[in-house]
Amino acid sequence: HPGTDGWNRVISTYSTCQSQNPWIFMVPLILLNLGMLLVANFTAYQARNIKVEFSESKYIAMSMAFMLQALVSAVPIMILIRDSPEAYFLVYA
């Protein structure tokens, strides 16, 4: 057995975590991510009038827009590929 040494002592293990319904875990994570995106964008919007030397709201807004774009494109993809094991593994891994 490759997980033991010459004296049969365990030196490595392997385990996985699976769920019959992953959406129970994914929906709260998606909602939390979306909520944090909204809070960050609102805070960047409030800070838009700070002097240019200290203003980073433009860059924060751009990064939040990229995250929102990834979220909006990833959720439909995850829904569409749930019946294809190869694509499912590629997206979820």
Side-chain angles (χ1 to χ4, degrees):
H1 187 269
T4 58
D5 63 4
W7 293 279
N8 204 23
R9 295 180 295 191
V10 176
I11 57 172
S12 67
T13 60
Y14 174 79
S15 63
T16 62
C17 181
Q18 296 180 352
S19 173
Q20 295 297 324
N21 190 1
W23 290 105
I24 293 173
F25 304 103
M26 292 174 62
V27 168
L29 290 174
I30 291 168
L31 291 175
L32 180 66
N33 193 2
L34 188 58
M36 291 297 108
L37 280 170
L38 292 173
V39 168
N41 278 317
F42 179 70
T43 304
Y45 177 76
Q46 285 182 326
R48 72 189 183 283
N49 294 325
I50 295 175
K51 290 188 177 201
V52 176
E53 298 89 32
F54 307 112
S55 177
E56 296 176 354
S57 60
K58 173 184 172 185
Y59 304 109
I60 293 171
M62 286 174 44
S63 66
M64 294 299 119
F66 295 147
M67 289 179 65
L68 183 61
Q69 181 182 8
L71 181 67
V72 167
S73 62
V75 171
I77 290 172
M78 290 189 297
I79 292 169
L80 291 173
I81 59 118
R82 69 176 175 250
D83 296 328
S84 172
E86 294 88 7
Y88 186 86
F89 176 76
L90 181 65
V91 171
Y92 283 94

